[in-house]
Amino acid sequence: MVLHAVFDRAYVLLLRGSADSTADRLDADFARAAASGLPVLVDLAALCHGNQEFLVLLIDAHRHGAELIGPLSPSLRQRLAITGLTDWFTVHPSLTAALHHLPPPAAPGTPEL
């Protein structure tokens, strides 16, 4: 299951259960999040397992700046370790920590540099 949450500073995808057979749907979920123009946070705290296709989606999301929220399940931690990606991803311990890590929103009417 994937839940979408939009905050003023981030688009959060909350993944629950297993991401083994939902790669096509997840691809659309990641595209929707990226299209928001907001930083993307992927909450994996309640994800028990993700297959190789899911890992490819995470890698692609990371290339577009997405960061992860944990704690990660033992299965997912092991998959990242086996593939050598453990240190590649930024994993925040909680949604609150991830939101605090983001730069503050620009004041209304302030041009972006």
Side-chain angles (χ1 to χ4, degrees), residues 4-103:
H4 296 251
V6 181
F7 294 84
D8 62 341
R9 296 178 12 200
Y11 195 109
V12 181
L13 292 172
L14 300 106
L15 282 66
R16 304 290 182 251
S18 179
D20 289 341
S21 60
T22 59
D24 290 337
R25 177 160 183 251
L26 282 174
D27 191 37
D29 289 319
F30 279 101
R32 179 176 164 192
S36 73
L38 294 168
V40 176
L41 301 172
V42 184
D43 187 335
L44 303 175
L47 186 73
C48 55
H49 182 73
N51 63 10
Q52 192 65 28
E53 290 177 50
F54 174 69
L55 188 58
V56 170
L57 288 173
L58 282 183
I59 291 168
D60 189 49
H62 177 270
R63 288 183 181 134
H64 293 95
E67 297 183 0
L68 308 180
I69 300 169
L72 303 179
S73 71
S75 171
L76 192 51
R77 270 196 323 270
Q78 181 181 17
R79 183 169 293 280
L80 292 177
I82 288 171
T83 56
L85 296 172
T86 301
D87 295 330
W88 200 58
F89 288 99
T90 299
V91 181
H92 300 281
S94 68
L95 175 57
T96 301
L99 291 171
H100 283 302
H101 174 76
L102 296 172

